[in-house]
Amino acid sequence: MITREHLAAITATTAFVGGVAMVAAGATSNRTRLARNGACLALATLPAVIITHAHRAARQAADSAERHRREGYRLALTHASRGLLNPLPDSQRQGATAQGARATLSPAPTPDQA
């Protein structure tokens, strides 16, 4: 679905490329007025191109961070529900105390170990 942000980026980029094309056409055909108008158009639309692309990149980074956060939360819930978050055992194999326990990932016990 094309959003308003997409349309703004497409419009700004198209106007900028059009201005650059006008500069190139004016420079090759010795039409200084066309080249000057193209340069004005390209320079006028350059801030809009930069802003729209920077906004789009920031939105993509935020979406990616949110996806990673959700995936980490889901993975943690999965590990907790499967009993994979266990404290490390101490040297006497008695299990760690509550103060000395560190959250770790360990494999789930098999039925013959239980």
Side-chain angles (χ1 to χ4, degrees):
M1 182 169 127
I2 295 180
T3 63
R4 232 182 266 181
E5 294 171 0
H6 288 111
L7 288 176
I10 290 168
T11 304
T13 304
T14 303
F16 178 74
V17 171
V20 171
M22 287 171 62
V23 169
T28 57
S29 65
N30 254 351
R31 296 172 66 189
T32 57
R33 190 174 197 185
L34 179 65
R36 194 173 348 158
N37 289 341
C40 288
L41 178 63
L43 289 176
T45 58
L46 186 60
V49 170
I50 292 170
I51 290 169
T52 56
H53 286 280
H55 182 68
R56 185 173 176 203
R59 165 89 54 154
Q60 287 174 344
D63 290 345
S64 176
E66 181 63 21
R67 274 193 308 269
H68 285 102
R69 187 194 65 79
R70 278 194 210 133
E71 180 63 23
Y73 184 71
R74 187 198 60 77
L75 186 62
L77 286 177
T78 301
H79 283 159
S81 69
R82 292 175 55 202
L84 297 177
L85 298 175
N86 298 327
L88 287 174
D90 62 4
S91 60
Q92 284 81 26
R93 311 290 286 163
Q94 300 294 321
T97 63
Q99 290 86 9
R102 293 185 331 197
T104 61
L105 296 178
S106 62
T110 59
D112 27 314
Q113 289 177 345

